[in-house]
Amino acid sequence: MASSFSTIQVHAADGILTIKLNRPDRLNAFTAEMGVELGAALRLAQRDDAIRCIVLTGNGRGFCAGQDLRELWPDGTEAEPLDLGAHLRENINPLVLRLRTMEKPVIASVNGVAAGAGVSFALAADLRICARSATFNMAFVQIGLVPDAAGTLTLVQQVGYTRAFELCLLGEPLSAEKAQEIGLVNRVVDDQALPESTRELALRLAALPPRGLGLTKRALNHAWTATLDEQLAYEALVQSTAGRTADHREGVQAFFEKRTPIFTGK
Ligand code: T3D
């Protein structure tokens, strides 16, 4: 995969694409250039059958400090207000859509502080594993803004309205342990164990049947807006597709032969 990125680093091995946000002196704050590069890496990952899991992490002591405030306000303030909605539509929303809709599991490996849209990016992933020293800060309120990058939806989904409201309105930092306690993250590990623990999880996901896994992601996302009837119909639809895969046959055959299945993505 292209090594010409300047705001991210990408590394593909063993079916895992690791995308490392790479502006460590700014705690990996998001810029438009990072958005373009992240979008390109995710598109490539989506198209490449050899990639079966994506890991999003950060270089240095931060995961992502949200929007780079210097990029939008290089002089501290602007005479004319910026159209932040346009900025979101162009740079951030397409990334969140891709993370949520691509039929491959995405792990956020939160290595340090996540703030503002950095929290939203972690929430847009399917699983979150984080370092014990990581913190989560819905910092939007501190600068008079509204949580974005789908944070108002995904936070409610992960932790419920009451906790989401408090996190967004008070904007206080949340420790990794507390984040796990309220269901915002799946796992917390010691800082030095994060890369290996992330890799173990990613390898497990990469060994699973990709089609079944991708369709499961679709069905779980579909459930948020569906009635019971609609969800039952949707499950039947995706199950028809999963039932036609060679991986499904392999799984059943392996069960009868009392062996570990080998899923090929067919
Ligand atoms: O429509 C739109 O697009 C608007 C979208 C908005 C989405 C958002 O994400 S809004 C929220 C933006 N993020 C923030 O407001 C967070 C700002 N940062 C902080 O509050 C703190 O930096 C942290 C709590 C994240 C970490 O604090 P600390 O003490 O560990 O580190 P630090 O010293 O503050 O930061 C280290 C450097 O990173 C520092 O640079 P310097 O001064 O040493 O040269 C700091 O300025 C820089 N940095 C941190 N966050 C950002 C940043 N630079 C630009 N933008 C940032 N968001």
Side-chain angles (χ1 to χ4, degrees), residues 7 40 56 60 74 84 109 117 122 131-132 135 154 173 176 194 230-231 242 265:
T7 64
L56 182 63
L84 296 180
S109 177
R132 207 168 294 286
T135 54
T154 48
L194 184 68
E230 287 164 350
Q231 191 62 14

Side-chain angles (χ1 to χ4, degrees), residues 25-27 29 61 65-70 72-73 83-85 87-88 92 113 115-118 137 139-140 143 145 148:
D25 54 333
R26 293 279 173 265
L27 302 179
R61 73 178 178 90
Q67 170 63 45
D68 187 311
L69 301 177
R70 285 186 182 85
L72 290 189
W73 295 279
D83 183 351
L84 296 180
H87 178 74
L88 287 174
I92 292 186
V113 62
N137 187 346
F140 304 87
I143 54 169
L145 292 183
D148 57 26

Side-chain angles (χ1 to χ4, degrees), residues 6 23 40 118 124 142 149 166 185 219 226 245 249-250 256:
S6 64
R23 302 184 69 232
Q142 320 284 5
E166 184 174 342
V185 301
T245 62
R249 289 194 295 281
E250 162 65 5
F256 288 130

Side-chain angles (χ1 to χ4, degrees), residues 95-139:
L95 292 174
V96 174
L97 271 174
R98 192 171 293 279
L99 287 167
R100 278 312 272 242
T101 59
M102 70 190 298
E103 288 191 21
K104 298 190 182 192
V106 181
I107 301 173
S109 177
V110 183
N111 53 300
V113 62
V119 181
S120 302
F121 290 142
L123 288 167
D126 302 305
L127 291 169
R128 281 154 291 288
I129 179 168
C130 77
R132 207 168 294 286
S133 69
T135 54
F136 297 83
N137 187 346
M138 293 298 276

Side-chain angles (χ1 to χ4, degrees), residues 161-221:
Y161 182 85
T162 305
R163 285 181 171 125
F165 192 91
E166 184 174 342
L167 288 170
C168 292
L169 271 287
L170 297 185
E172 287 171 350
L174 188 69
S175 70
E177 260 108 16
K178 187 72 184 164
Q180 185 178 32
E181 192 187 308
I182 67 172
L184 195 150
V185 301
N186 300 82
R187 291 171 198 195
V188 178
V189 298
D190 290 338
D191 290 15
Q192 64 277 15
L194 184 68
E196 192 48 36
S197 300
T198 302
R199 183 174 153 76
E200 278 169 21
L201 185 59
L203 282 172
R204 280 179 61 188
L205 289 167
L208 292 170
R211 199 78 178 108
L213 219 143
L215 291 169
T216 301
K217 177 169 171 174
R218 261 172 67 173
L220 287 169
N221 277 300

